Amino acid sequence: MSSALTEPKTVATYVTLRISPVLDLTDEQFFKLCQINRNLRLERTAEGDLIVMPPTGGETGNRNTSVTGQLYTWTRQDGSGASFDSSTGFSLPNGSDRSPDAAWISHERLSRLTAEQKKKFIPLCPDFVVELRSQSDDLAELQAKMEEYIANGARLGWLIDPEERSVFVYRPGAAVEELKNITRGSGDPELPGFTLDLREIWEPKI
């Protein structure tokens, strides 16, 4: 019998703090707030609400590592863009600040940014985003976040639900496609040649 521990069924979920219009943080103030609270993932909605997310559990962290590792490997081989992990903040055109679990942006778009812009939250919506659902995440809220990415310029988005072994695929102007029980996800044509091996996502090595 295996004695491996699994991620608890009851884990802390995120908290939404409604601070506007009592307090309206500038982009610089929000960036500094995130820097002095590095043990938390902070996001900001287009309405100015703060979303406070605690560290993930073991299984989710292991799954995140698999996704970002595979994306990074392809990015190095492809050479046309840069990949980012879940600690990266992106300031979207609608005013929200988001941190997807994994992201990719073409070098052509990144080249338009100044060196100072690249040091802070990147003022772009990624071309490709991945959100990985944990056991405490509300599916409808994650789906709304995916729609926000697409509305703000993402060309491809994947919402991965390990519990249901489903991948929801988002593209501009197209209906959301749900793929169930697949072992590989393809990034074509937006990310030519990128495939994500989902076997370690469905059954994490922990």
Side-chain angles (χ1 to χ4, degrees):
M1 178 184 298
S2 172
S3 59
L5 296 176
T6 59
E7 190 170 344
K9 291 293 183 182
T10 54
V11 296
T13 186
Y14 63 82
V15 174
T16 300
L17 300 178
R18 306 189 188 283
I19 63 172
S20 181
V22 176
L23 179 63
D24 288 318
L25 296 176
T26 65
D27 291 344
E28 182 67 21
Q29 288 172 330
F30 178 67
F31 178 78
K32 290 182 177 179
L33 180 67
C34 294
Q35 302 312 296
I36 62 175
N37 291 279
R38 290 180 177 273
N39 60 320
L40 297 173
R41 281 180 62 188
L42 298 178
E43 292 187 336
R44 181 169 56 165
T45 68
E47 294 72 33
D49 297 337
L50 297 184
I51 301 174
V52 185
M53 294 170 285
T56 64
E59 283 189 355
T60 297
N62 183 261
R63 286 169 169 143
N64 278 341
T65 298
S66 179
V67 172
T68 56
Q70 292 183 63
L71 180 59
Y72 174 74
T73 298
W74 172 82
T75 299
R76 287 284 304 273
Q77 296 170 346
D78 176 74
S80 65
S83 62
F84 304 89
D85 68 9
S86 61
S87 63
T88 310
F90 297 92
S91 296
L92 305 189
N94 70 343
S96 66
D97 294 279
R98 298 296 189 180
S99 297
D101 290 315
W104 181 90
I105 301 179
S106 70
H107 283 315
E108 190 273 331
R109 296 181 67 215
L110 288 170
S111 67
R112 303 171 191 168
L113 304 180
T114 66
E116 187 63 25
Q117 286 176 313
K118 294 177 183 179
K119 292 177 182 178
K120 298 182 178 181
F121 294 152
I122 296 177
L124 293 174
C125 181
D127 294 292
F128 171 58
V129 293
V130 178
E131 289 286 356
L132 184 63
R133 186 188 183 192
S134 67
Q135 292 173 335
S136 62
D137 289 331
D138 181 82
L139 180 59
E141 292 179 352
L142 283 179
Q143 290 172 327
K145 185 187 287 190
M146 297 302 298
E147 296 287 358
E148 181 183 47
Y149 289 133
I150 296 299
N152 278 270
R155 296 187 291 122
L156 176 65
W158 290 349
L159 170 54
I160 302 174
D161 186 348
E163 294 299 310
E164 300 297 328
R165 297 199 173 199
S166 292
V167 178
F168 297 89
V169 180
Y170 291 77
R171 287 185 170 93
V176 179
E177 183 180 11
E178 182 180 8
L179 306 175
K180 294 188 68 70
N181 294 310
I182 60 173
T183 58
R184 289 186 176 275
S186 172
D188 288 331
E190 293 84 2
L191 279 67
F194 173 61
T195 60
L196 181 68
D197 187 342
L198 290 156
R199 290 172 295 182
E200 291 185 2
I201 309 301
W202 304 151
E203 299 180 11
K205 306 301 183 183
I206 183 174

